[in-house]
Amino acid sequence: MKSKIFLFLLSIVSFQSLSAQNEEYQEIEFKKIAEGVDSPIPDLQIVCFNKFFNKDYLPEKFSEKYGLTDRSLFKKKMLVEIFQSDQEGTGIDKIEIVKILEGKENIQIEYRLINENPNKDDQKLAPFIIVQIPKSKKKIQFIKDGSDLGQVQKAYVD
């Protein structure tokens, strides 16, 4: 009896896993709000529904410089903010959004780190990018340089 229950549970898990892999995704349009190499936060991928994350965690000068105090940024939209730091000295100086896909349960944000200017490889830069997408409460999955960083449901600010 226990083995039948185990096989039944295993088949449910396998079906859920298979259906997640077969989930149909559609590309989401996004708007680039800001990018640069002066990130004030070391390494963080976050989704913001309102300005309070920016207000509490980003220096005021940074927010003003990149227009992150504008309330209209969050009207029916949310911000996806990716902050990186070149701790290993690999010369990364840009973050590029490859694509953003939305499925029934998830949003996948695929990005890559780029060494765009080899002349600055000796500098420890901190690239960032902030894009705007439609608001959603779906799980967010970050994929960096082809590696899945996993799904996060609480990585946003309500």
Side-chain angles (χ1 to χ4, degrees):
M1 181 66 173
K2 285 183 181 181
S3 63
K4 286 183 182 181
I5 292 172
F6 175 75
L7 289 174
F8 176 72
L9 292 174
L10 183 61
S11 67
I12 290 173
V13 171
S14 297
F15 175 75
Q16 288 175 338
S17 175
L18 183 60
S19 64
Q21 289 174 351
N22 292 333
E23 184 174 357
E24 289 186 31
Y25 287 91
Q26 295 182 359
E27 209 158 329
I28 296 177
E29 285 189 37
F30 62 90
K31 178 182 177 184
K32 190 184 310 179
I33 301 299
E35 71 178 325
V37 292
D38 57 339
S39 166
I41 299 176
D43 294 318
L44 183 67
Q45 297 82 29
I46 192 153
V47 179
C48 300
F49 282 96
N50 59 44
K51 67 178 184 158
F52 295 110
F53 174 83
N54 292 331
K55 185 179 177 193
D56 293 342
Y57 292 93
L58 298 176
E60 191 175 331
K61 284 185 177 184
F62 181 86
S63 292
E64 288 174 1
K65 177 179 178 180
Y66 292 104
L68 301 176
T69 57
D70 182 1
R71 287 180 176 226
S72 69
L73 290 174
F74 303 98
K75 191 172 187 176
K76 297 184 180 181
K77 305 282 185 181
M78 62 186 186
L79 298 183
V80 175
E81 303 181 357
I82 302 172
F83 301 95
Q84 199 69 46
S85 57
D86 189 10
Q87 298 294 332
E88 293 83 33
T90 57
I92 60 166
D93 53 13
K94 184 174 182 174
I95 299 172
E96 178 182 72
I97 300 292
V98 176
K99 60 186 166 190
I100 301 178
L101 301 173
E102 181 174 28
K104 288 181 182 180
E105 298 180 13
N106 301 319
I107 293 177
Q108 293 181 341
I109 300 167
E110 187 174 343
Y111 67 96
R112 65 176 153 233
L113 305 177
I114 299 173
N115 182 358
E116 190 173 67
N117 187 350
N119 294 331
K120 293 184 178 181
D121 283 359
D122 60 332
Q123 300 175 24
K124 294 212 180 210
L125 302 174
F128 73 93
I129 190 166
I130 301 172
V131 297
Q132 184 186 54
I133 64 173
K135 269 190 185 174
S136 175
K137 293 279 187 174
K138 295 179 180 180
K139 291 181 182 176
I140 306 293
Q141 179 180 14
F142 288 96
I143 301 169
K144 178 176 83 173
D145 294 328
S147 296
D148 187 349
L149 300 178
Q151 290 183 343
V152 285
Q153 194 168 13
K154 300 287 184 188
Y156 51 77
V157 179
D158 284 318

